[in-house]
Amino acid sequence: MKQIQEYFVPWIKGIPMYISSHLELAWREPQLHRMMSNENPHEPSPKVYEAIVKYAKMANRYPDQGLVVRGKIAEINGLDGPGNVMIGNGSSEVFDMLFRCFLEPGQEVIQHTPCFGIYKLRCQILGGKLVSVPMIYKDKQLLFDADAVLKAVTEKTKIIVIANPNNPTGNFMDADSFIKIAETGIPFVIDEAYVEYAGLEMSQVQLTKKYKNVMITRTLSKAYGLAGMRFGYALADKDLIAQVSATLIPWNVGTIPMWAALAALEDTESLEKRREFNNSEIKFIENALSNIPGLTIFRSYGNYMLFDGTDAGKVGDEMIAYAQKKKGLILRPQAPMYGRNGFFRITIGTKEENRMLVEAVKEFFAQ
Ligand SMILES: Cc1ncc(COP(=O)(O)O)c(C=O)c1O
């Protein structure tokens, strides 16, 4: 008799469960300050809370396909209607749905690094080959390199994914580079998880009208502050959305998140407040830390900031250990890159947390 292991598809063998150790730590030790996962520091608005309570009473009912919330999303983005929108259990599920539709084992996904880790995980699960094209580190900036992305294209390329703004670098790629990549006709996923912080004017959503291979992904986990609720969506040409939607798990988005998402999308005042708070705190942190010799601060348009302390002779992991030990702040490590080990990333926290962070960084760099 064969062992059960022999029945698994070969490409999932040996892959461990994705466990986010810093989130495990934060839930285990709630006195620690969560400045590591690009969550929003503010709780949901009263309008969202009301919707959650209202639909909690209907939790015995199956949801519909989300026509109302999809219609609202289309309207906000200047698209024709719900047929241009697919919803998922967080944008992480949306990537999974998109990747499954295009990627066969042995074929390639191009990502631009450093970037968000889920593209790699979803590619692995499908037996795909991940091709990582590094950004350029120049003049204390991490720059997009669309030409290098295009050079990495082969017959086997089935998906190109770029986050805009990128996590962890915080910057936007220029509009011409998006067109160059879209022109290849290859399925092109533009991850706009953080775009609301800069404003929808920075979105590339208009490309979906001209290019049937362009897909925009978004989430309510960041500027809308609903990471624990799990709601994300994709925007694209209606034929593409129809085909991908055919692969959705029925009722993939529950009644409560669906209607709470609608309340959040309608609550523009609350979004604006979160956005203003975030952007002014980014400026505060930038100013407060700008005169530390040898500390590079990357200009961020998201709710996080990347730093490189290598030129000051500092190691990123040691900064993180110091912040946790001395101030109870959980920050995010960043693997060494470009031969430098001084990188670390922070998430914008509450006012108080951001001031604790500034103190921690100043103290650590003064040592
Ligand atoms: C670039 C990027 N895209 C997507 C996500 C995931 O968002 P969701 O909570 O919608 O799965 C994150 C989360 O950190 C992210 O950084």
Side-chain angles (χ1 to χ4, degrees):
M1 202 172 75
K2 284 209 267 182
Q3 296 296 308
I4 186 67
Q5 288 300 334
E6 298 173 62
Y7 286 92
F8 282 119
V9 292
W11 48 86
I12 69 155
K13 282 188 193 171
I15 298 178
M17 179 182 176
Y18 177 70
I19 299 175
S20 181
S21 57
H22 35 269
L23 280 172
E24 301 290 316
L25 171 69
W27 280 104
R28 211 170 47 238
E29 302 204 26
Q31 79 284 4
L32 295 175
H33 300 275
R34 307 167 73 123
M35 300 185 78
M36 69 304 174
S37 294
N38 300 351
E39 297 163 330
N40 196 301
H42 301 117
E43 62 181 41
S45 76
K47 286 182 183 155
V48 171
Y49 185 72
E50 248 170 56
I52 291 174
V53 172
K54 177 173 172 197
Y55 286 93
K57 288 195 180 144
M58 297 184 73
N60 55 322
R61 302 298 182 194
Y62 280 105
D64 64 5
Q65 50 154 321
L67 272 182
V68 176
V69 70
R70 286 165 59 206
K72 178 70 189 172
I73 292 168
E75 179 201 314
I76 292 173
N77 288 284
L79 300 175
D80 291 342
N84 297 101
V85 183
M86 181 183 86
I87 57 179
N89 190 30
S91 58
S92 296
E93 189 193 40
V94 172
F95 298 125
D96 191 58
M97 293 303 176
L98 297 175
F99 280 32
R100 278 171 199 272
C101 289
F102 296 110
L103 194 62
E104 286 179 58
Q107 301 191 317
E108 297 171 1
V109 174
I110 299 180
Q111 64 171 11
H112 206 16
T113 53
C115 66
F116 181 48
I118 298 273
Y119 320 136
K120 175 181 174 181
L121 296 172
R122 296 339 294 165
C123 171
Q124 262 185 338
I125 280 323
L126 295 167
K129 183 177 164 223
L130 187 75
V131 176
S132 293
V133 175
M135 297 174 82
I136 299 171
Y137 195 9
K138 194 176 150 206
D139 302 332
K140 300 189 186 292
Q141 294 182 76
L142 278 153
L143 304 170
F144 289 92
D145 187 357
D147 292 334
V149 169
L150 290 171
K151 270 200 203 118
V153 168
T154 73
E155 290 279 287
K156 291 184 176 170
T157 306
K158 289 294 146 77
I159 297 165
I160 299 175
V161 57
I162 301 268
N164 199 50
N166 186 39
N167 169 16
T169 58
N171 51 338
F172 283 104
M173 183 161 88
D174 63 80
D176 290 350
S177 296
F178 282 102
I179 293 172
K180 272 199 224 167
I181 298 174
E183 292 276 346
T184 62
I186 295 167
F188 181 19
V189 180
I190 305 173
D191 176 355
E192 295 187 340
Y194 301 94
V195 76
E196 294 89 355
Y197 286 111
L200 288 193
E201 318 80 81
M202 294 303 290
S203 171
Q204 297 298 326
V205 66
Q206 75 289 351
L207 292 181
T208 63
K209 295 184 183 170
K210 179 161 180 207
Y211 298 98
K212 292 184 183 264
N213 55 316
V214 171
M215 293 149 263
I216 305 287
T217 60
R218 301 257 185 82
T219 179
L220 265 61
S221 299
K222 308 300 178 182
Y224 287 97
L226 294 167
M229 200 180 73
R230 313 304 300 136
F231 187 94
Y233 59 92
L235 306 171
D237 174 71
K238 69 176 186 0
D239 295 337
L240 186 154
I241 291 291
Q243 185 61 73
V244 178
S245 298
T247 74
L248 286 178
I249 293 170
W251 313 293
N252 66 324
V253 176
T255 309
I256 300 169
M258 192 184 279
W259 291 98
L262 179 70
L265 292 161
E266 285 174 340
D267 191 356
T268 50
E269 199 182 314
S270 168
L271 176 67
E272 191 49 36
K273 267 197 220 147
R274 287 156 200 271
R275 196 177 107 127
E276 273 172 22
F277 172 83
N278 180 78
N279 298 351
S280 82
E281 289 298 286
I282 290 229
K283 284 210 182 97
F284 161 75
I285 296 172
E286 258 183 10
N287 287 339
L289 300 177
S290 60
N291 53 10
I292 296 182
L295 176 65
T296 298
I297 307 175
F298 295 86
R299 181 83 191 85
S300 176
Y301 295 92
N303 67 341
Y304 49 88
M305 295 170 79
L306 181 68
F307 297 88
D308 180 8
T310 311
D311 291 339
K314 297 292 187 190
V315 176
D317 283 354
E318 290 174 9
M319 171 72 241
I320 284 167
Y322 182 90
Q324 191 175 323
K325 187 159 171 237
K326 299 282 169 150
K327 314 273 173 194
L329 308 176
I330 316 177
L331 310 183
R332 184 57 158 265
Q334 169 66 53
M337 46 187 186
Y338 307 92
R340 303 165 74 84
N341 63 358
F343 292 97
F344 59 97
R345 193 195 72 190
I346 65 115
T347 297
I348 303 305
T350 60
K351 260 198 158 57
E352 186 195 2
E353 288 169 337
N354 298 333
R355 276 135 196 90
M356 285 160 72
L357 170 88
V358 162
E359 257 179 46
V361 174
K362 280 187 172 165
E363 284 169 21
F364 178 75
F365 277 78
Q367 280 178 351

